[in-house]
Amino acid sequence: MLNYREGDEAAFEMLYRKYEKPVLDFIYRMVMIADEAENLCQETFFRVVRARKNYQVTATFKTWLFQIALNLCRDRQRRMKHRSHLSLSARVRAQNDRDAELQDVLADPSLDLVRRVETAELGALVQRAVAALPEAEHLVVVLKEYQGLEFSEIAEIMDCPVGTLKSLNHRAHEKLRKTLAKYLGD
Amino acid sequence: MNCEEIRKELADFVSGKTEAAMINEIKNHLEACRDCSRELRQTKRLSEVLRSWKGIDPSPLMVDKLKTRMSASGSSWRKIFSLSTFRKAAFKFAEVAAIVAVTLLVSRQLQKPAPKTSALAPINFYLMEHQEAVAQTASAELSELPTAHIPVDRGDFLYYEFIDGYPRAARPGVILRGRPSQKDVKPPETPPGSKEQIITLEQARKAVGFPFVAPQRLHPGYILDSVRKIEDRKCLHLLYTNGIDTLSLFEQPANEEHGLGAKDFREYAVFRSVEPVPGQVNGQGRVTILAWISDGVSLVLIGKGDLSQLMDIGQSINVATGTANHGSQ
């Protein structure tokens, strides 16, 4: 990012290529709607471009980028609270996304048919279980489990002590274990 | 550490991110504590189960949109996207889509009023994704590919269609489907901008009965010139002008007989005309046409600006849709 700030356009290309997928994936797991996630992901990188000249090294670029994405997700959540008619529409679209996701899994030739069906069903259940968590727990699970971030990085993004995050994560795991008990065995 | 503390560390332990100093303590605890050992197994299993929720891959159009926004905002981005990337995206597009059908309303307000004798305007339409798919298959240069060339009456509806089941087709297919009744787009009795043509945004909203939107951003110098409803149709035409060139926005419900259908395309469909053919056209310059659907409304934006400018305006219309800023100017 420092290179980009200094005028190296190729540096932005590298950043974009490296973080496009993780940022999109993160946003998708927060908003649960694919096209909304793409819009917010695009906005995230556009804000990086706009902030280029004023960029200061206060955190790693990765955590800064995820902070931008998270703020956009939260802004969207706030807007949606006041727009029930869009929420209804979003549910339909979310369903379409889920259907598409199921279709993707079903089409994966690397899994046998029975496994494919099970995976597809389970994926939808997991999505619902994660979505049902309170926002902070949802966020920690997404950043930890799906983005593979360290608690110290999550602490920067959420501006929250590591100890609190570990408690949130533990609490979220307990809830998920209950919701998904029949798939965990033991 | 007690059991509670150990359990909070299990997520890191499972992912191999535990601090070296704590590893032995956790291992020793797990060997001695059956409950925590069971919790460890469940944590591992939970991680596996959570992975059955798959993420999504970026669509090829996402990067295009960003690039367009960056251009519009004056930010440069070097030529990042190789042709092969586009080709890959094009093939993906071609494989997935079964039929792409785009209805374009080309109104006489596309350009400055012209004499009736020059009613035909040749416009070469092409769908970039399709062309690239063809180019890859044929190992041909894009520039060698012919574009579809159709003489279009300025009052016509134009249907562009190709069947994607055969991406190896040598050229895009273009079909003009039954001309609409001329009364739909009959020439106005008075020139654009006269009082008889103009209705207010409020009147327009009542006339069409759907929540239309107006762009929040326009090219510098452009103002709203007129709003009119296409006769016998729930279609609204907003005409903007800078005194020399015009910018037209057509809006109608996507489920109307003549409108775009939800399945017609995935995102934006972009068309560009070529330069006018000398001797055939009077006043027809390079025109960019942008067609898309937003919140159930089919939108077609036609203007002489470059693609990034139109995309920027289109984006502002989508923003207006998203904020329910219907009918605002």
Side-chain angles (χ1 to χ4, degrees), chain A residues 124-137:
Chain A
L125 286 172
V126 168
Q127 180 179 358
R128 280 197 285 275
V130 174
L133 293 172
E135 199 239 17
E137 293 173 17

Side-chain angles (χ1 to χ4, degrees), chain A residues 3-4 7-13 52, chain B residues 70 76-78 80:
Chain A
N3 288 343
Y4 180 50
D8 181 358
E9 302 291 335
F12 184 76
E13 173 188 348
R52 166 189 185 172
Chain B
M70 287 173 66
S76 61
W77 192 351
R78 289 169 7 133
I80 289 170

Side-chain angles (χ1 to χ4, degrees), chain B residues 111-122 152-154 279-284:
Chain B
Q111 53 190 297
K112 291 179 286 185
K116 286 184 179 177
T117 52
S118 62
L120 291 182
V152 182
D153 187 292
R154 280 194 233 96
Q280 287 193 8
V281 190
N282 187 5
Q284 175 69 60

